[in-house]
């Protein structure tokens, strides 16, 4: 304690600190010293009190610190999992009236109930020219009356962009109607609304519809971990076309959607809505439901990410339909917790042939039932070594297959994904050709005669920096230690002189072939 007091005595004179994260209780005297520092410091922007219990005495010290003076530089104030008591919490929230310059306020996991929301609502109402942009109130005890008081206060926040209320399951449709009223207010400019784990059912969605239909600039709507089901989806879909800027829709873990509900959801894609992300994990979706959904996806050119994780009834048939529908835009597909098996792996691999949009495919290698047969299918689409043309038109854009950073994928597959990640697609094609075709067959190019020779020379000149870059980036001994990468051993033991020999060999074969073509032409005449 003596050391802490000595530290705080010096700390209060700091005038340059910009961010301060506190994870232990400073005590009332410590918070008094912190107040001195804040008064002297015009640079502190972020103050976070994170994951430690704050008793009533300390809470009053914090409240005194915040109510004494406006700290104009302080923009982000976080209280996270401090187990604040009702009285201490109310004191702190009331003290916020002095801090209208705050742009982000987080009171998560701190027992904020109806009384806390009432105090916060009053604080927000008292702010003249409020600057608040983000308000986080997740994992609390907010009820209908509290949400109503909070909604009233938020009408004074003309710049509020993000509201997080997730994990407040005591809120019912009545409270959501208060929120809907706020959404319809002229001051509402929300871009992100997080209502995950709120126990929202069809009635709750119905209460939100009017607000969501009011043409707010919403970009992200989170409704995961609720009980929306088919009937709720139908109600939600009626309001979404008005959210013309909506990009992300989170509907995971909602008790299950049948083909009927997913057909309603598919209609959203045909309204001109430019969704970029759709999250549907753990909703008991089957092939019939997925195929109903993708009917609308065909007309959506913006959808870049789909999360279908833990929908174990989906088979290779449904995955094929999804990949074909999203072929032109889909960049990321999450299939965690799904037993896609070798059949699913082969279907996915086949659909990735010629696909230049997909970048990340996630699934659990240890759970997916994908064996060496399935991995071989992925390996072939990454680098088809059967011919020069096959290698050239292989997939050079996907950067992840399987777990994060492609863990558990075979070494050769991981290496080809490494190339796709770290080089431009044209450079990747060049590298794969150099690695797997040491002696390129020139015969297919003879039909262009000597006109093609300058192109051959130019290709080798442009390929040289790629050869040099990969030899600098990847130590040869690192490749040589893996027996399953034996096809690359020759390339990574190649000296610079060998590269020049490749170029000369190609030119020699090309020139040597010209007289043969000339003789052939004379015989035909």
């Amino acid at each position: 304690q003596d050391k802490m007091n000595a530290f705080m005595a010096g700390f209060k004179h700091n005038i340059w600190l910009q961010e301060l994260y506190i994870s232990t209780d400073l005590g009332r005297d410590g918070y008094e010293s912190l107040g001195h520092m804040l008064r002297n410091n015009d640079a502190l922007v972020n103050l976070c009190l994170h994951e430690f219990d704050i008793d009533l005495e300390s809470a009053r010290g914090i409240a005194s610190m915040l109510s004494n003076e406006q700290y104009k530089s302080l923009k982000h104030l976080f209280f996270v999992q401090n187990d604040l008591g009702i009285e201490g919490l109310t004191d702190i929230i009331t003290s916020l009236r002095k801090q209208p310059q705050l742009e982000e306020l987080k009171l998560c996991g701190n027992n904020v109930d109806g009384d806390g929301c009432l105090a916060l609502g009053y604080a927000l109402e008292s702010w003249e020219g409020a600057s608040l942009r983000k308000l986080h109130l997740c994992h609390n005890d907010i009820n209908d009356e509290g949400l109503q008081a909070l909604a009233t206060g938020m009408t004074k926040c003309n710049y509020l962009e993000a509201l997080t209320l997730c994990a407040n399951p005591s809120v019912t449709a009545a409270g959501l109607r208060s929120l809907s009223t706020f959404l319809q207010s002229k001051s509402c400019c929300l871009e992100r609304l997080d209502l995950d784990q709120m126990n929202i059912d069809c009635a709750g969605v119905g209460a939100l519809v009017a607000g969501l239909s009011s043409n707010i600039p919403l970009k992200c709507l989170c409704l995961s971990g609720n009980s929306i089901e088919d009937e709720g989806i139908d109600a939600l879909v009626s309001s979404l076309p008005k959210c013309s800027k909506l990009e992300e829709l989170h509907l995971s873990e909602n008790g299950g959607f049948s083909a009927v509900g997913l057909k309603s959801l598919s209609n959203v894609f045909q309204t001109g809505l430019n969704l970029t992300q759709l999250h549907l994990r753990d909703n008991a979706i089957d092939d019939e439901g997925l195929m109903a959904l993708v009917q609308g996806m065909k007309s959506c050119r913006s959808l870049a990410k789909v999360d279908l994780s833990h929908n174990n009834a989906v088979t290779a048939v449904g995955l094929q339909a999804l990949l074909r529908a999203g072929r032109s835009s889909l960049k990321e597909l999450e299939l965690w917790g799904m037993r896609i098996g070798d059949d699913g792996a082969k279907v996915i691999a086949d659909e990735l042939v010629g696909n230049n949009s997909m970048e990340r495919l996630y699934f659990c290698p240890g759970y997916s039932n994908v064996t060496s047969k399935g991995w071989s299918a992925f390996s072939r689409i990454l680098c088809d070594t059967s011919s020069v043309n096959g290698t050239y038109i292989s997939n050079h854009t996907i950067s992840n297959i399987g777990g994060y950073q492609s863990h558990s994928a075979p070494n050769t597959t991981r290496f080809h994904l490494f190339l796709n990640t770290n080089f431009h697609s044209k450079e990747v094609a060049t590298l794969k050709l150099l690695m797997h075709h040491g002696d390129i067959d020139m015969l297919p190019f003879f039909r262009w005669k000597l006109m093609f020779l300058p192109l051959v020379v130019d290709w080798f000149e442009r390929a040289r920096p790629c050869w040099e870059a990969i030899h600098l980036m990847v130590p040869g001994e690192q490749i040589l230690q893996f027996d399953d990468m034996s096809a690359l051993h020759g390339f990574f033991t190649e000296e610079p002189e060998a590269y020049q020999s490749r170029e000369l060999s190609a030119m020699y074969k090309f020139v040597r072939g010209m007289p043969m073509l000339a003789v052939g032409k004379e015989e035909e005449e």
Side-chain angles (χ1 to χ4, degrees):
Q1 186 61 46
D2 290 340
K3 291 182 179 180
M4 176 63 75
N5 291 337
F7 172 77
M8 293 305 298
F11 177 72
K12 67 183 181 182
H13 299 293
N14 186 292
I15 61 173
W16 303 113
L17 193 68
Q18 296 181 10
E19 298 185 7
L20 178 58
Y21 294 84
I22 300 171
S23 57
T24 187
D25 191 10
L26 302 180
R28 183 149 191 162
D29 291 341
Y31 294 116
E32 183 178 346
S33 296
L34 181 58
H36 285 298
M37 189 274 284
L38 289 172
R39 283 192 289 275
N40 295 326
N41 185 308
D42 292 327
L44 190 71
V45 177
N46 299 335
L47 176 59
C48 176
L49 292 85
H50 184 71
E51 292 188 346
F52 67 93
D53 292 350
I54 298 176
D55 60 21
L56 180 57
E57 188 68 16
S58 291
R60 286 174 173 166
I62 294 169
S64 176
M65 173 187 74
L66 292 172
S67 61
N68 281 337
E69 188 174 329
Q70 181 184 1
Y71 307 113
K72 293 183 179 180
S73 67
L74 185 62
K75 304 299 183 184
H76 308 276
L77 180 59
F78 299 164
F79 292 89
V80 180
Q81 295 181 11
N82 306 116
D83 196 25
L84 283 160
I86 302 301
E87 189 175 351
L89 174 68
T90 304
D91 286 348
I92 289 175
I93 291 176
T94 301
S95 71
L96 295 176
R97 296 184 184 189
K98 199 75 172 181
Q99 310 299 327
Q101 83 289 342
L102 287 176
E103 295 180 2
E104 184 173 11
L105 176 62
K106 185 177 290 188
L107 292 165
C108 296
N110 270 305
N111 308 310
V112 179
D113 60 0
D115 291 337
C117 283
L118 187 63
L120 182 56
Y122 286 148
L124 297 179
E125 280 190 274
S126 71
W127 286 353
E128 293 294 333
S131 302
L132 194 66
R133 295 181 180 275
K134 298 179 181 179
L135 179 59
H136 309 272
L137 296 169
C138 59
H139 296 276
N140 285 303
D141 301 316
I142 299 173
N143 55 22
D144 292 339
E145 292 75 15
L147 188 52
Q148 183 178 3
L150 183 63
T152 301
M154 288 191 298
T155 58
K156 293 288 187 177
C157 301
N158 295 324
Y159 301 103
L160 190 62
E161 299 171 352
L163 175 62
T164 302
L165 292 171
C166 62
N168 283 287
S170 298
V171 175
T172 70
L176 293 172
R177 275 191 287 273
S178 300
L179 178 61
S180 183
T181 300
F182 164 68
L183 296 177
Q184 297 172 68
S185 66
K186 292 181 179 180
S187 61
C188 180
C189 58
L190 277 185
E191 295 182 0
R192 180 182 179 88
L193 178 58
D194 189 340
L195 301 175
D196 287 348
Q197 302 174 51
M198 294 276 286
N199 202 28
I200 298 173
D201 56 11
C202 178
V205 174
L208 287 169
V209 165
L212 294 173
S213 300
S214 59
N215 203 26
I216 57 176
L218 200 63
K219 293 182 179 179
C220 177
L221 177 60
C222 301
L223 290 167
S224 295
N226 289 299
S227 304
I228 293 175
E229 300 183 334
D230 288 345
E231 192 176 353
I233 281 288
D234 197 46
L236 180 65
V237 164
S238 67
S239 65
L240 290 182
K242 292 291 185 179
C243 299
S244 57
K245 296 185 179 181
L246 191 67
E247 297 175 356
E248 297 182 33
L249 181 58
H250 297 251
L251 291 168
S252 297
E253 301 173 19
N254 263 293
F257 299 139
S258 72
V260 175
L262 292 168
K263 176 62 178 173
S264 296
L265 186 56
S266 76
N267 294 332
V268 170
F269 296 112
Q270 302 177 48
T271 61
L273 203 62
N274 293 317
L275 275 183
T276 60
Q277 295 187 27
L278 180 61
H279 297 256
L280 293 169
R281 68 165 56 201
D282 199 4
N283 275 311
I285 297 172
D286 57 15
D287 286 340
E288 182 185 5
L290 187 54
M291 294 177 79
L293 176 67
V294 301
Q295 291 304 309
M297 283 177 55
K298 294 176 182 178
S299 58
C300 182
R301 301 294 181 183
S302 59
L303 191 63
K305 177 178 179 177
V306 173
D307 184 358
L308 278 177
S309 304
H310 300 283
N311 286 293
N312 290 303
V314 173
T315 70
V317 175
L319 292 175
Q320 184 179 56
L322 172 65
L323 288 166
R324 288 184 177 178
R327 188 175 183 85
S328 63
S329 64
L330 201 59
K331 293 184 178 182
E332 182 173 324
L333 178 60
E334 297 193 15
L335 302 173
W336 303 107
M338 294 175 63
R339 297 188 182 278
I340 61 176
D342 290 337
D343 289 342
K346 184 178 185 308
V347 163
I348 294 171
D350 289 344
E351 294 302 323
L352 290 178
V353 174
N355 184 317
N356 294 319
S357 64
M358 182 67 76
E359 296 176 0
R360 296 172 294 277
L361 170 66
Y362 295 112
F363 58 84
C364 302
Y367 183 82
S368 62
N369 287 345
V370 175
T371 68
S372 58
K373 181 179 179 182
W375 283 111
S376 293
F378 286 130
S379 180
R380 280 194 298 275
I381 62 107
L382 286 170
C383 189
D384 180 0
T385 60
S386 62
S387 67
V388 170
N389 190 56
T391 302
Y392 184 77
I393 64 173
S394 296
N395 188 297
H396 308 311
T397 55
I398 191 164
S399 60
N400 195 102
I401 297 178
Y404 289 120
Q405 298 182 337
S406 303
H407 286 309
S408 300
N411 288 317
T412 302
T413 300
R414 289 186 66 189
F415 181 73
H416 287 140
L417 290 168
F418 166 81
L419 295 179
N420 288 4
T421 302
N422 291 279
F423 292 89
H424 186 275
S425 58
K426 290 183 179 179
E427 295 173 328
V428 176
T430 297
L431 284 169
K432 290 176 181 177
L433 286 170
L434 290 173
M435 290 176 183
H436 296 282
H437 300 278
D439 193 20
I440 298 177
D441 182 13
M442 291 289 109
L443 186 60
F445 307 116
F446 284 175
R447 55 180 170 170
W448 285 291
K449 302 182 180 179
L450 287 174
M451 291 185 297
F452 201 78
L453 183 57
L455 298 179
V456 175
V457 175
D458 182 62
W459 185 87
F460 273 100
E461 287 302 312
R462 286 186 289 109
R464 184 184 294 274
C466 296
W467 186 95
E468 293 171 347
I470 195 64
H471 277 80
L472 285 173
M473 186 179 294
V474 181
E477 56 269 19
Q478 185 176 331
I479 302 297
L480 296 176
Q481 65 180 314
F482 297 111
D483 293 337
D484 58 345
M485 298 182 74
S486 58
L488 299 175
H489 288 181
F491 176 83
F492 280 97
T493 54
E494 196 173 51
E495 297 295 332
E497 295 78 9
Y499 182 86
Q500 187 174 9
S501 298
R502 284 198 199 204
E503 184 177 0
L504 293 173
S505 174
M507 292 172 62
Y508 172 73
K509 285 191 287 186
F510 205 95
V511 173
R512 188 182 64 178
M514 295 301 101
M516 295 170 60
L517 291 175
V519 170
K521 184 176 180 181
E522 290 175 1
E523 289 178 351
E524 289 176 4
E525 293 174 350

